[in-house]
Amino acid sequence: MKHTISVLVENHAGVLSRISGLFSRRGFNIDSLAVGVTDDPTVSRITIVVNGNEYIVEQVKKQLNKLIDVLKVKIIEPEALISRELMLIKVTASADTRGEIIDIVKVIGARIVDISRNSLTVEITDSADQLELLQDLLGPYGILEVARTGTIALEKGVHSIHNK
Amino acid sequence: MITGAQAMVKCLENEGVKDVFGYPGAAICPFYDALADSDIRHILVRQEQNAGHAASGYARVSGRPAVCIATSGPGATNLITALATAYMDSIPVIAITGQVSSEQLGRDVFQEADITGAAEPFTKYSYIVKNAADIPRIFKEAFIIAGSGRPGPVLIDIPIDIQNKKLEFHYPESVAIRGYKPTVEGNCGQIKRVAKALADCKKPVICVGGGVFFADAADEVLQFSQKLRIPVVSTMMGLGAVPGGYELFLGMMGMHGVAASNLAIREADLLLIVGARIGDRAVNSPDAIAKNTKIVHIDIDPAEIGKNVGVHIPLVGDAKNALSRLAGEVGALDFSEWAAQAAARKKPGEFPARESSVNPKRFMSMLSDAAPEDTILVADVGQNQIWSANYFQVKKGRFLTSGGMGTMGYSVPAAMGAKCACPEAPVFAVCGDGSFQMQMMELATIVQHQIPVKIVLMQNARLGMVRELQSNQYQGHCTAVFLDGSPDFLKLAGAYGIPASRIASDAEIPQALEALFAAQGPYLLVCDVDPGEASL
């Protein structure tokens, strides 16, 4: 089962390697990991999606909390989760196929960010499922390359990682 | 303004450090230059790993973080085994390593190694110092992190140019580390739940681990056990938490433990684990126990609770705090009957007489009887460790060993550290002829710095524990366990000017012990042990 974990960490060198080292050392599987600075420039937020049972998730949380550079860890329950991921996907497009691709992009709520004689680059910001759906739909036209950010997430409502 | 190197020394002085163990090299020279002006005693080991083990022994006996020093590159990487050993056993060691100049970092210059990266899995925390002005804060943090909560090693890597930079020195009284707040105070509700579980159970057992020492909770454990009449078992790391001769102490548990302990755990309906992580050597199949036994786990590290054994009542906090409050919470309970039943299964050691070799169990038992109350015994790893653990009874001293990592070559340097921390206590290192040869260069350190450690070497010309494993599980196919080519250890000791003797029968033990105890300085006693001798 997939679990989304929000982690606030000290924003300094070496922190990411401590976290990724912990995951590989303890045999935790990371689905995705995204890092960025928060409203406090000394603090970064890492969003990790892990695959595992309850025991694994509990261990991940406890082991993360042990790291001195980790300030807060919160497992976001699936029902309270707002999660987004950004994907850029470059697809082969000729005069014949361009129209069909633009239709797909419109329906799925993505947008075209670059166009050339033989290609289209599409940006989509959505849940991981929708990203995969788009990728699946564009597959037949010939995908040239894909870049994804990994999932970031916040809790619904007024709750935040700062309160329980 | 003083230099970074002078600041490092001042930090150590501010922390009350009296002795450090190390080995210099180019990248740490500014620090050594400044250290020469200090009253801090530097003990020059003969290999950096032993500086780490010596600091470990020192820390365990003094109860405070102890310091080891190495240069960059190979000096630093040689420390890794000692750091890993300290990490597994939660020992507060501060490792200071020199590093190549900041502007050369990452270019693979001479003696450059990414030691913070390499040691990351084996340290509680590590620093690479980028600004000299940060030195006081970093040292203060390092000592706090190493010595508090669940203790562990902390590494400070300092490039040579930073050691030479000037700074305004001010040592902070305290520092706030926002990501580090160990839970000391156990939760009230949980303590009440434990008290209720104790009131509801019939056959409780207390299981102590190494955490009891750093929480300074040995007295609380003993009083709790005495008051409620609860039998006590111990992991290898917990040995000595209650006196070995205490009537309700059943002995070491686990793979190499005694039957009385393991049977008591199997029969118990409540297991009160205090400062132990229930490693695989202590409990073979924790899930089987958790099925029939209510598990209460007191530990300062929340990540240990539920990691190896399913827990019914977790209690995160300091063992001393938790136990003293628990003692106030439980009513008048009395488990005398069960305790007597469990203690009745304790068996006195049986030592079939050996005529052309020494029975190592008999030897350890006699050493134990003859040793003064405050004796510190440091066991190495292998059969010698099991003989020591099961037949040496700690009274008011300590039993030290590499429990988690099982690092051969631990005993002599750790004994050196223990002796430096506690000069008035008799300190013994017990090792085999395999492990001794991993550390025998330290005889020079012992002589040079006049550290009167007594060494007992169990010589069976085998890597005994591997030999035993091969005999039992590999159809007796013994390979690569024969220690042919070992030197004459008496002559070796003689070459260092250390008195030594050898015994080859049980009859000689009393006389040998007399010589061992009478020696004012270091001493080496070699016991010829039959290669077929079993661990248990």
Side-chain angles (χ1 to χ4, degrees), chain B residues 313-360:
Chain B
I313 311 177
L315 180 46
V316 178
D318 173 81
K320 191 184 186 82
N321 174 293
L323 278 176
S324 50
R325 285 169 60 204
L326 185 59
E329 198 68 43
V330 289
L333 299 173
D334 180 19
F335 300 101
S336 296
E337 206 175 311
W338 152 243
Q341 193 188 326
R345 283 195 292 242
K346 282 207 277 186
K347 282 201 192 105
E350 281 175 28
F351 312 114
R354 306 277 189 264
E355 275 165 21
S356 53
S357 68
V358 174
N359 183 331

Side-chain angles (χ1 to χ4, degrees), chain B residues 128-207:
Chain B
I128 176 155
V129 185
K130 301 268 175 72
N131 297 302
D134 292 339
I135 288 173
R137 174 187 58 82
I138 286 175
F139 271 71
K140 185 77 200 175
E141 286 186 5
F143 274 84
I144 291 174
I145 291 170
S148 61
R150 177 179 183 178
V154 174
L155 171 73
I156 309 174
D157 193 31
I158 309 194
I160 187 167
D161 57 315
I162 305 293
Q163 296 175 47
N164 287 323
K165 285 238 170 67
K166 292 277 172 77
L167 69 143
E168 207 69 68
F169 185 81
H170 166 72
Y171 200 65
E173 288 269 301
S174 64
V175 284
I177 309 164
R178 60 179 171 177
Y180 181 67
K181 289 181 187 68
T183 307
V184 173
E185 194 84 1
N187 176 290
C188 265
Q190 292 302 90
I191 288 176
K192 287 203 167 80
R193 282 182 65 199
V194 179
K196 167 133 195 350
L198 273 165
D200 292 346
C201 79
K202 294 201 163 54
K203 296 177 173 181
V205 170
I206 299 172
C207 161

Side-chain angles (χ1 to χ4, degrees), chain A residues 132-149:
Chain A
E132 271 140 38
L133 175 61
L134 177 64
Q135 192 175 319
D136 190 43
L137 292 169
L138 296 181
Y141 301 99
I143 292 170
L144 295 169
E145 62 181 329
V146 165
R148 291 172 68 161
T149 58

Side-chain angles (χ1 to χ4, degrees), chain A residues 44-68:
Chain A
S44 294
R45 186 181 185 114
I46 303 182
T47 308
I48 307 169
V49 180
V50 294
N51 220 332
N53 56 26
E54 290 303 316
Y55 169 82
I56 296 281
V57 175
E58 192 61 23
Q59 273 294 308
V60 168
K61 186 178 174 185
K62 284 175 165 176
Q63 295 294 344
L64 281 170
N65 266 319
K66 267 181 86 161
L67 296 179
I68 314 279

